[in-house]
Amino acid sequence: MLKRGLNHPTAGTPDSKAQAAPAQTSEKDKTSDVAGQSQVTSTAPQVSAAAASGNADKGQGGSPQAKPQPTQGQAADAQGRNDAQHKQTAEGQAAGQTVILEKVAPSFESKLRHNILKMPDAAWEASGIRIFGRKIRTLVYTTDLAIIKNCNADAVFAVYPFTPQQSISNAIISASSMPVFCGVGGGTTRGVRTVMLARDVECQGAMGVVLNSPVSDVNLRAVAMSVDIPTVITVVSAQTNIQRRLDAGAAIINVAGGKDTPDIVAKIRKDHPGIPIIASGGKTNESIAATIDAGANAITYTPPAAHELFSKMMDQYREDAPKTEQRERTATDILRAAGLIHG
């Protein structure tokens, strides 16, 4: 388009700015297409929820809004903050390639809570399971409140080798800052008690109930009918009739087959492509990756015992490093700083 009051290009002479605009639009369209394809290929269960989440990033017309290219002046102003980012973009454009910059999540750590238990890196590669809109990829398999309050898992897998008790589940759910899946029996504890426990933990705020592998299909159906949260059934053998478990009301399969877990997961995934699967991943990134590759959507991780974690801290305390000096020099100074002594 020609602008009035400016020098117009002569007839037959191409306008360089007019030519540059289509090229930028093409690059934006490519970027939007790549982003759209990455959403479509997601393997997480409950695709409708994932699609709804993805639509929130789009404009009112239903199509992605193209991100405007920064002007030369804006790029100069931001150069000090994003040198590496702009360099990567410039190199990609010079090579004629579409460049998608990685988004980095800011992180906050306090002076006291920086030493938390972190889930293995490989576990975060799982697709996850969306439950009530929340994606669950990692579950810490413990009832230790100290570990639950100091780890970065998505949820707690609170299953233990004793008869489930409401006081235990209530304590874990109340203290946890993340969703909790509670064990409600299925082995020694059966029948009416499993149904009552399931109803109780739902009222306490549990995200799901977990039944042990020996539970009957009739008992499983009764529990599934009594609650409005997912019923998780544990599978320990490749010979388990998964279809019967699903027909009885199981919403999620939890595979705990020891060293055979990846093989069991692969068999279940082959026969039932769409069902959500939680599986134990072992202790190493390699074993966890193998379980995810077999088809697991979420990983349960058994953390080291508390005494193992504490022994590492004690080794650090035993080192002959200089002691950190406190600002308060005497016990009186500490009490005065705490407001317990005045004057």
Side-chain angles (χ1 to χ4, degrees), residues 116-127:
I116 65 171
L117 174 69
K118 296 182 178 180
M119 299 298 101
D121 293 337
W124 299 110
E125 298 300 321
S127 65

Side-chain angles (χ1 to χ4, degrees), residues 2-326:
L2 300 180
K3 298 183 180 179
R4 296 181 180 180
L6 299 178
N7 294 332
H8 306 311
T10 59
T13 303
D15 187 357
S16 60
K17 294 183 179 180
Q19 287 184 344
Q24 293 177 358
T25 303
S26 175
E27 291 299 323
K28 298 171 194 172
D29 293 341
K30 290 180 181 178
T31 305
S32 299
D33 291 342
V34 172
Q37 291 174 3
S38 64
Q39 292 179 356
V40 173
T41 56
S42 174
T43 59
Q46 301 187 15
V47 179
S48 59
S53 176
N55 288 336
D57 298 333
K58 299 182 179 179
Q60 295 179 351
S63 60
Q65 296 179 351
K67 187 176 180 180
Q69 294 289 337
T71 64
Q72 193 172 21
Q74 290 173 338
D77 294 338
Q79 184 175 3
R81 299 189 304 270
N82 303 307
D83 284 342
Q85 203 173 56
H86 284 289
K87 182 178 179 181
Q88 181 181 0
T89 305
E91 291 176 352
Q93 290 177 346
Q97 300 175 352
T98 301
V99 178
I100 301 177
L101 300 178
E102 182 181 358
K103 296 181 180 179
V104 178
S107 177
F108 172 81
E109 293 180 349
S110 70
K111 295 180 180 179
L112 302 179
R113 300 189 188 183
H114 61 279
N115 188 28
I116 65 171
L117 174 69
K118 296 182 178 180
M119 299 298 101
D121 293 337
W124 299 110
E125 298 300 321
S127 65
I129 302 171
R130 289 192 182 273
I131 304 176
F132 306 130
R134 184 191 293 268
K135 180 183 284 189
I136 305 297
R137 290 181 292 179
T138 60
L139 301 97
V140 59
Y141 184 13
T142 184
T143 55
D144 190 320
L145 288 179
I147 290 178
I148 291 173
K149 293 293 291 184
N150 292 276
C151 75
N152 68 338
D154 290 325
V156 179
F157 206 71
V159 180
Y160 47 93
F162 309 105
T163 297
Q165 300 176 46
Q166 290 92 332
S167 59
I168 296 176
S169 60
N170 185 60
I172 294 173
I173 294 171
S174 300
S176 175
S177 58
M178 64 188 86
V180 179
F181 291 77
C182 287
V184 294
T188 304
T189 305
R190 304 182 182 184
V192 175
R193 186 172 179 84
T194 60
V195 175
M196 300 307 296
L197 286 167
R199 289 174 60 86
D200 286 344
V201 299
E202 180 185 23
C203 293
Q204 291 166 357
M207 176 170 273
V209 294
V210 184
L211 286 164
N212 292 332
S213 57
V215 71
S216 67
D217 292 332
V218 173
N219 204 159
L220 170 59
R221 181 182 295 278
V223 171
M225 292 175 63
S226 68
V227 295
D228 191 42
I229 54 179
T231 303
V232 183
I233 183 65
T234 302
V235 172
V236 297
S237 170
Q239 308 305 318
T240 302
N241 190 327
I242 301 299
Q243 188 58 54
R244 285 176 53 185
R245 292 304 206 183
L246 297 175
D247 294 340
I252 300 174
I253 303 298
N254 170 49
V255 181
K259 61 182 180 58
D260 298 326
T261 294
D263 295 333
I264 299 174
V265 170
K267 183 179 184 300
I268 297 174
R269 179 59 69 211
K270 179 182 178 181
D271 298 336
H272 306 276
I275 66 171
I277 299 177
I278 300 173
S280 56
K283 295 288 188 180
T284 66
N285 280 305
E286 291 75 17
S287 62
I288 292 172
T291 305
I292 294 174
D293 291 341
N297 301 113
I299 294 295
T300 58
Y301 174 71
T302 304
H307 72 273
E308 296 179 43
L309 296 173
F310 202 70
S311 66
K312 298 179 181 179
M313 183 179 294
M314 294 304 297
D315 290 339
Q316 183 179 354
Y317 289 165
R318 295 186 187 101
E319 292 180 359
D320 295 329
K323 294 183 178 179
T324 303
E325 294 185 1
Q326 288 189 223

